[in-house]
Amino acid sequence: GRYCLTIACSGIDARIAESVHDFSASLSGKGAYLASVAVNFIARGIGQHWTVTLDDEVIEDDFALVSMCNGRHYGGGFTPVLEARMNDGLLHAVLVKKISKLQFAVLFGKYGSGRYRELPPDIIRVSDARVVRIQGDDIVTCLDGECSHSTDVTLRLSDKKLNFFGPA
């Protein structure tokens, strides 16, 4: 019943987005973000056990994050899938398996700049899908910056279309 225009994410990046507001009263935007990264990265762990369904393919594993990209940008400049377009009729699902904190620290920059092809395919996978479903315990999902908790998240492309316009 909710809509998302650009990127819906579940996992550590959604937890970071959710808790950044806990630090925004005492820190600047970037400082609050870095504090949220530190708390979620160090204190709370990275992965959760989920069942992820991409159209008809079912994958059960431990994941650090799953992002569904209809657009290219989120989280103040992250661009996980450079080829994602709002008008291509696809969700570009990014599945990042649970990995060590050191591996995650290395992956973070490449993930954020759309260089996922440089990462090992046993760690990260990008697949096109029309429907993505995540099932597990306490899944934090962030839809265009708004976070919620659930045990079952289903994202699909809407039949409704939005038209945008702007200066030439």
Side-chain angles (χ1 to χ4, degrees):
R2 297 175 62 200
Y3 291 93
C4 175
L5 291 177
T6 56
I7 296 179
C9 59
S10 297
I12 189 165
D13 51 349
R15 289 192 344 245
I16 289 168
E18 180 180 50
S19 66
V20 74
H21 306 291
D22 297 341
F23 305 100
S24 60
S26 58
L27 297 169
S28 68
K30 187 144 189 133
Y33 174 77
L34 293 173
S36 182
V37 167
V39 165
N40 282 281
F41 185 73
I42 295 167
R44 297 184 65 197
I46 294 175
Q48 290 180 272
H49 190 79
W50 292 336
T51 300
V52 177
T53 305
L54 304 172
D55 292 330
D56 296 323
E57 180 185 3
V58 178
I59 306 158
E60 186 173 343
D61 210 333
D62 295 330
F63 293 95
L65 63 91
V66 175
S67 293
M68 290 66 63
C69 305
N70 188 41
R72 287 183 278 180
H73 305 285
Y74 81 125
F78 283 89
T79 310
V81 182
L82 294 173
E83 60 270 23
R85 299 287 184 275
M86 290 183 176
N87 63 355
D88 65 3
L90 295 171
L91 286 173
H92 302 277
V94 182
L95 288 73
V96 179
K97 290 190 178 179
K98 179 181 177 182
I99 52 179
S100 72
K101 291 179 181 182
L102 178 60
Q103 285 177 304
F104 192 84
V106 170
L107 170 135
F108 196 69
K110 290 182 180 179
Y111 168 80
S113 62
R115 296 174 16 227
Y116 66 86
R117 288 184 178 92
E118 297 175 22
L119 299 165
D122 61 324
I123 292 175
I124 189 168
R125 172 183 171 182
V126 176
S127 298
D128 295 339
R130 294 205 46 82
V131 178
V132 178
R133 183 177 185 189
I134 306 167
Q135 297 168 287
D137 293 331
D138 194 27
I139 303 164
V140 179
T141 299
C142 185
L143 304 174
D144 290 334
E146 294 185 24
C147 298
S148 63
H149 291 253
S150 178
T151 58
D152 194 337
V153 176
T154 300
L155 291 118
R156 72 181 93 255
L157 289 173
S158 174
D159 292 334
K160 297 178 181 182
K161 309 275 191 265
L162 292 176
N163 293 319
F164 292 91
F165 64 92

